[in-house]
PDB file of all heavy atoms in Angstrom:
ATOM      1  N   ALA A 268      74.711  95.518 104.553  1.00  0.00           N
ATOM      2  CA  ALA A 268      74.999  95.121 105.970  1.00  0.00           C
ATOM      3  C   ALA A 268      73.712  94.782 106.675  1.00  0.00           C
ATOM      4  O   ALA A 268      72.631  95.118 106.234  1.00  0.00           O
ATOM      5  CB  ALA A 268      75.686  96.297 106.671  1.00  0.00           C
ATOM      6  N   ILE A 269      73.949  94.099 107.818  1.00  0.00           N
ATOM      7  CA  ILE A 269      72.787  93.771 108.652  1.00  0.00           C
ATOM      8  C   ILE A 269      73.203  94.035 110.117  1.00  0.00           C
ATOM      9  O   ILE A 269      74.387  94.099 110.421  1.00  0.00           O
ATOM     10  CB  ILE A 269      72.359  92.252 108.581  1.00  0.00           C
ATOM     11  CG1 ILE A 269      73.539  91.348 108.919  1.00  0.00           C
ATOM     12  CG2 ILE A 269      71.833  91.985 107.220  1.00  0.00           C
ATOM     13  CD1 ILE A 269      73.130  89.912 108.941  1.00  0.00           C
ATOM     14  N   PHE A 270      72.213  94.298 110.908  1.00  0.00           N
ATOM     15  CA  PHE A 270      72.398  94.360 112.408  1.00  0.00           C
ATOM     16  C   PHE A 270      71.983  93.037 112.950  1.00  0.00           C
ATOM     17  O   PHE A 270      70.821  92.616 112.805  1.00  0.00           O
ATOM     18  CB  PHE A 270      71.626  95.481 113.018  1.00  0.00           C
ATOM     19  CG  PHE A 270      71.804  95.554 114.520  1.00  0.00           C
ATOM     20  CD1 PHE A 270      72.914  96.189 115.090  1.00  0.00           C
ATOM     21  CD2 PHE A 270      70.900  95.003 115.341  1.00  0.00           C
ATOM     22  CE1 PHE A 270      73.029  96.257 116.440  1.00  0.00           C
ATOM     23  CE2 PHE A 270      70.984  95.025 116.708  1.00  0.00           C
ATOM     24  CZ  PHE A 270      72.057  95.671 117.269  1.00  0.00           C
ATOM     25  N   SER A 271      72.908  92.296 113.554  1.00  0.00           N
ATOM     26  CA  SER A 271      72.553  90.932 114.045  1.00  0.00           C
ATOM     27  C   SER A 271      73.410  90.617 115.220  1.00  0.00           C
ATOM     28  O   SER A 271      74.678  90.887 115.241  1.00  0.00           O
ATOM     29  CB  SER A 271      72.734  89.930 112.881  1.00  0.00           C
ATOM     30  OG  SER A 271      72.498  88.665 113.365  1.00  0.00           O
ATOM     31  N   ARG A 272      72.833  89.892 116.222  1.00  0.00           N
ATOM     32  CA  ARG A 272      73.586  89.361 117.271  1.00  0.00           C
ATOM     33  C   ARG A 272      73.919  87.865 117.100  1.00  0.00           C
ATOM     34  O   ARG A 272      74.721  87.289 117.797  1.00  0.00           O
ATOM     35  CB  ARG A 272      72.773  89.509 118.660  1.00  0.00           C
ATOM     36  CG  ARG A 272      72.496  90.940 118.968  1.00  0.00           C
ATOM     37  CD  ARG A 272      71.858  91.054 120.297  1.00  0.00           C
ATOM     38  NE  ARG A 272      71.411  92.408 120.630  1.00  0.00           N
ATOM     39  CZ  ARG A 272      72.222  93.345 121.080  1.00  0.00           C
ATOM     40  NH1 ARG A 272      73.542  93.072 121.334  1.00  0.00           N
ATOM     41  NH2 ARG A 272      71.801  94.573 121.377  1.00  0.00           N
ATOM     42  N   SER A 273      73.336  87.249 116.054  1.00  0.00           N
ATOM     43  CA  SER A 273      73.519  85.839 115.755  1.00  0.00           C
ATOM     44  C   SER A 273      74.300  85.562 114.502  1.00  0.00           C
ATOM     45  O   SER A 273      74.727  84.462 114.253  1.00  0.00           O
ATOM     46  CB  SER A 273      72.201  85.106 115.751  1.00  0.00           C
ATOM     47  OG  SER A 273      71.429  85.597 114.666  1.00  0.00           O
ATOM     48  N   GLY A 274      74.455  86.573 113.634  1.00  0.00           N
ATOM     49  CA  GLY A 274      75.045  86.406 112.337  1.00  0.00           C
ATOM     50  C   GLY A 274      74.033  86.219 111.269  1.00  0.00           C
ATOM     51  O   GLY A 274      74.361  86.346 110.074  1.00  0.00           O
ATOM     52  N   GLY A 275      72.797  85.914 111.589  1.00  0.00           N
ATOM     53  CA  GLY A 275      71.712  85.799 110.612  1.00  0.00           C
ATOM     54  C   GLY A 275      70.810  87.048 110.655  1.00  0.00           C
ATOM     55  O   GLY A 275      70.902  87.948 111.374  1.00  0.00           O
ATOM     56  N   SER A 276      69.812  87.031 109.734  1.00  0.00           N
ATOM     57  CA  SER A 276      68.891  88.114 109.645  1.00  0.00           C
ATOM     58  C   SER A 276      68.040  88.258 110.873  1.00  0.00           C
ATOM     59  O   SER A 276      67.440  87.321 111.313  1.00  0.00           O
ATOM     60  CB  SER A 276      68.058  88.008 108.379  1.00  0.00           C
ATOM     61  OG  SER A 276      67.131  89.089 108.306  1.00  0.00           O
ATOM     62  N   GLN A 277      67.935  89.498 111.397  1.00  0.00           N
ATOM     63  CA  GLN A 277      66.995  89.775 112.453  1.00  0.00           C
ATOM     64  C   GLN A 277      66.061  90.908 112.171  1.00  0.00           C
ATOM     65  O   GLN A 277      65.558  91.554 113.057  1.00  0.00           O
ATOM     66  CB  GLN A 277      67.810  90.100 113.731  1.00  0.00           C
ATOM     67  CG  GLN A 277      68.519  88.900 114.351  1.00  0.00           C
ATOM     68  CD  GLN A 277      69.267  89.130 115.607  1.00  0.00           C
ATOM     69  OE1 GLN A 277      69.597  90.284 115.954  1.00  0.00           O
ATOM     70  NE2 GLN A 277      69.475  88.120 116.426  1.00  0.00           N
ATOM     71  N   GLY A 278      65.872  91.138 110.845  1.00  0.00           N
ATOM     72  CA  GLY A 278      64.941  92.098 110.446  1.00  0.00           C
ATOM     73  C   GLY A 278      65.422  93.527 110.385  1.00  0.00           C
ATOM     74  O   GLY A 278      64.652  94.488 110.246  1.00  0.00           O
ATOM     75  N   ILE A 279      66.786  93.756 110.500  1.00  0.00           N
ATOM     76  CA  ILE A 279      67.391  95.041 110.383  1.00  0.00           C
ATOM     77  C   ILE A 279      68.496  94.983 109.370  1.00  0.00           C
ATOM     78  O   ILE A 279      69.591  94.523 109.705  1.00  0.00           O
ATOM     79  CB  ILE A 279      67.876  95.577 111.728  1.00  0.00           C
ATOM     80  CG1 ILE A 279      66.740  95.593 112.772  1.00  0.00           C
ATOM     81  CG2 ILE A 279      68.453  96.974 111.611  1.00  0.00           C
ATOM     82  CD1 ILE A 279      67.217  96.080 114.198  1.00  0.00           C
ATOM     83  N   GLY A 280      68.200  95.340 108.153  1.00  0.00           N
ATOM     84  CA  GLY A 280      69.168  95.347 107.119  1.00  0.00           C
ATOM     85  C   GLY A 280      69.369  96.766 106.533  1.00  0.00           C
ATOM     86  O   GLY A 280      68.464  97.570 106.624  1.00  0.00           O
ATOM     87  N   PHE A 281      70.515  96.956 105.888  1.00  0.00           N
ATOM     88  CA  PHE A 281      70.830  98.331 105.350  1.00  0.00           C
ATOM     89  C   PHE A 281      71.318  98.202 103.923  1.00  0.00           C
ATOM     90  O   PHE A 281      72.010  97.291 103.493  1.00  0.00           O
ATOM     91  CB  PHE A 281      71.950  98.905 106.169  1.00  0.00           C
ATOM     92  CG  PHE A 281      71.577  99.048 107.654  1.00  0.00           C
ATOM     93  CD1 PHE A 281      72.087  98.198 108.562  1.00  0.00           C
ATOM     94  CD2 PHE A 281      70.695 100.074 108.069  1.00  0.00           C
ATOM     95  CE1 PHE A 281      71.796  98.304 109.950  1.00  0.00           C
ATOM     96  CE2 PHE A 281      70.359 100.216 109.396  1.00  0.00           C
ATOM     97  CZ  PHE A 281      70.867  99.329 110.316  1.00  0.00           C
ATOM     98  N   ALA A 282      70.847  99.172 103.165  1.00  0.00           N
ATOM     99  CA  ALA A 282      71.216  99.190 101.686  1.00  0.00           C
ATOM    100  C   ALA A 282      71.674 100.584 101.354  1.00  0.00           C
ATOM    101  O   ALA A 282      71.163 101.640 101.923  1.00  0.00           O
ATOM    102  CB  ALA A 282      69.969  98.839 100.832  1.00  0.00           C
ATOM    103  N   ILE A 283      72.655 100.690 100.442  1.00  0.00           N
ATOM    104  CA  ILE A 283      73.127 101.983  99.955  1.00  0.00           C
ATOM    105  C   ILE A 283      72.136 102.499  98.860  1.00  0.00           C
ATOM    106  O   ILE A 283      71.819 101.751  97.909  1.00  0.00           O
ATOM    107  CB  ILE A 283      74.545 101.806  99.368  1.00  0.00           C
ATOM    108  CG1 ILE A 283      75.523 101.289 100.409  1.00  0.00           C
ATOM    109  CG2 ILE A 283      75.003 103.106  98.725  1.00  0.00           C
ATOM    110  CD1 ILE A 283      76.816 100.854  99.823  1.00  0.00           C
ATOM    111  N   PRO A 284      71.607 103.727  99.050  1.00  0.00           N
ATOM    112  CA  PRO A 284      70.585 104.168  98.079  1.00  0.00           C
ATOM    113  C   PRO A 284      71.098 104.181  96.597  1.00  0.00           C
ATOM    114  O   PRO A 284      72.264 104.434  96.373  1.00  0.00           O
ATOM    115  CB  PRO A 284      70.310 105.614  98.562  1.00  0.00           C
ATOM    116  CG  PRO A 284      70.783 105.623 100.014  1.00  0.00           C
ATOM    117  CD  PRO A 284      71.907 104.681 100.080  1.00  0.00           C
ATOM    118  N   ALA A 285      70.100 103.909  95.748  1.00  0.00           N
ATOM    119  CA  ALA A 285      70.476 103.876  94.320  1.00  0.00           C
ATOM    120  C   ALA A 285      70.998 105.236  93.794  1.00  0.00           C
ATOM    121  O   ALA A 285      71.923 105.203  92.915  1.00  0.00           O
ATOM    122  CB  ALA A 285      69.253 103.465  93.480  1.00  0.00           C
ATOM    123  N   ASN A 286      70.510 106.351  94.331  1.00  0.00           N
ATOM    124  CA  ASN A 286      71.067 107.651  93.813  1.00  0.00           C
ATOM    125  C   ASN A 286      72.546 107.838  94.186  1.00  0.00           C
ATOM    126  O   ASN A 286      73.347 108.247  93.354  1.00  0.00           O
ATOM    127  CB  ASN A 286      70.239 108.791  94.482  1.00  0.00           C
ATOM    128  CG  ASN A 286      68.906 108.925  93.909  1.00  0.00           C
ATOM    129  OD1 ASN A 286      68.459 108.197  93.107  1.00  0.00           O
ATOM    130  ND2 ASN A 286      68.208 109.981  94.299  1.00  0.00           N
ATOM    131  N   LEU A 287      72.936 107.391  95.423  1.00  0.00           N
ATOM    132  CA  LEU A 287      74.322 107.427  95.833  1.00  0.00           C
ATOM    133  C   LEU A 287      75.145 106.448  94.978  1.00  0.00           C
ATOM    134  O   LEU A 287      76.264 106.719  94.493  1.00  0.00           O
ATOM    135  CB  LEU A 287      74.497 107.181  97.311  1.00  0.00           C
ATOM    136  CG  LEU A 287      75.904 107.068  97.786  1.00  0.00           C
ATOM    137  CD1 LEU A 287      76.675 108.349  97.546  1.00  0.00           C
ATOM    138  CD2 LEU A 287      75.886 106.783  99.303  1.00  0.00           C
ATOM    139  N   ALA A 288      74.643 105.232  94.830  1.00  0.00           N
ATOM    140  CA  ALA A 288      75.348 104.231  94.047  1.00  0.00           C
ATOM    141  C   ALA A 288      75.525 104.677  92.557  1.00  0.00           C
ATOM    142  O   ALA A 288      76.640 104.408  92.020  1.00  0.00           O
ATOM    143  CB  ALA A 288      74.575 102.925  94.074  1.00  0.00           C
ATOM    144  N   ARG A 289      74.589 105.369  92.036  1.00  0.00           N
ATOM    145  CA  ARG A 289      74.695 105.817  90.669  1.00  0.00           C
ATOM    146  C   ARG A 289      75.824 106.864  90.541  1.00  0.00           C
ATOM    147  O   ARG A 289      76.616 106.844  89.614  1.00  0.00           O
ATOM    148  CB  ARG A 289      73.409 106.399  90.153  1.00  0.00           C
ATOM    149  CG  ARG A 289      73.382 106.919  88.761  1.00  0.00           C
ATOM    150  CD  ARG A 289      72.022 107.340  88.297  1.00  0.00           C
ATOM    151  NE  ARG A 289      72.038 107.865  86.932  1.00  0.00           N
ATOM    152  CZ  ARG A 289      70.958 108.134  86.240  1.00  0.00           C
ATOM    153  NH1 ARG A 289      69.792 107.981  86.767  1.00  0.00           N
ATOM    154  NH2 ARG A 289      71.053 108.535  84.968  1.00  0.00           N
ATOM    155  N   SER A 290      75.901 107.771  91.465  1.00  0.00           N
ATOM    156  CA  SER A 290      76.819 108.892  91.357  1.00  0.00           C
ATOM    157  C   SER A 290      78.302 108.319  91.527  1.00  0.00           C
ATOM    158  O   SER A 290      79.216 108.665  90.864  1.00  0.00           O
ATOM    159  CB  SER A 290      76.655 109.920  92.459  1.00  0.00           C
ATOM    160  OG  SER A 290      76.748 109.428  93.747  1.00  0.00           O
ATOM    161  N   ILE A 291      78.434 107.280  92.404  1.00  0.00           N
ATOM    162  CA  ILE A 291      79.759 106.651  92.561  1.00  0.00           C
ATOM    163  C   ILE A 291      80.074 105.794  91.333  1.00  0.00           C
ATOM    164  O   ILE A 291      81.256 105.778  90.968  1.00  0.00           O
ATOM    165  CB  ILE A 291      79.763 105.852  93.925  1.00  0.00           C
ATOM    166  CG1 ILE A 291      79.706 106.785  95.072  1.00  0.00           C
ATOM    167  CG2 ILE A 291      80.962 104.968  94.016  1.00  0.00           C
ATOM    168  CD1 ILE A 291      79.603 106.144  96.446  1.00  0.00           C
ATOM    169  N   LEU A 292      79.106 105.169  90.843  1.00  0.00           N
ATOM    170  CA  LEU A 292      79.388 104.420  89.593  1.00  0.00           C
ATOM    171  C   LEU A 292      79.910 105.325  88.495  1.00  0.00           C
ATOM    172  O   LEU A 292      80.924 104.954  87.867  1.00  0.00           O
ATOM    173  CB  LEU A 292      78.001 103.744  89.140  1.00  0.00           C
ATOM    174  CG  LEU A 292      77.973 103.239  87.702  1.00  0.00           C
ATOM    175  CD1 LEU A 292      78.785 101.967  87.579  1.00  0.00           C
ATOM    176  CD2 LEU A 292      76.541 103.024  87.291  1.00  0.00           C
ATOM    177  N   GLU A 293      79.353 106.422  88.330  1.00  0.00           N
ATOM    178  CA  GLU A 293      79.759 107.310  87.226  1.00  0.00           C
ATOM    179  C   GLU A 293      81.233 107.835  87.505  1.00  0.00           C
ATOM    180  O   GLU A 293      82.016 107.931  86.611  1.00  0.00           O
ATOM    181  CB  GLU A 293      78.756 108.519  87.095  1.00  0.00           C
ATOM    182  CG  GLU A 293      77.459 108.124  86.603  1.00  0.00           C
ATOM    183  CD  GLU A 293      76.467 109.251  86.458  1.00  0.00           C
ATOM    184  OE1 GLU A 293      76.821 110.369  86.946  1.00  0.00           O
ATOM    185  OE2 GLU A 293      75.378 109.051  85.923  1.00  0.00           O
ATOM    186  N   GLU A 294      81.471 108.181  88.743  1.00  0.00           N
ATOM    187  CA  GLU A 294      82.818 108.699  89.054  1.00  0.00           C
ATOM    188  C   GLU A 294      83.936 107.614  88.920  1.00  0.00           C
ATOM    189  O   GLU A 294      85.035 107.904  88.474  1.00  0.00           O
ATOM    190  CB  GLU A 294      82.878 109.276  90.481  1.00  0.00           C
ATOM    191  CG  GLU A 294      82.107 110.620  90.593  1.00  0.00           C
ATOM    192  CD  GLU A 294      82.654 111.519  91.723  1.00  0.00           C
ATOM    193  OE1 GLU A 294      83.879 111.799  91.667  1.00  0.00           O
ATOM    194  OE2 GLU A 294      81.874 111.839  92.639  1.00  0.00           O
TER     195      GLU A 294
END
Side-chain angles (χ1 to χ4, degrees):
I269 59 174
F270 177 85
S271 174
R272 299 186 184 278
S273 63
S276 175
Q277 292 185 334
I279 303 178
F281 302 102
I283 299 170
N286 285 7
L287 176 59
R289 179 175 182 172
S290 65
I291 290 177
L292 165 72
E293 293 178 352
E294 289 208 57

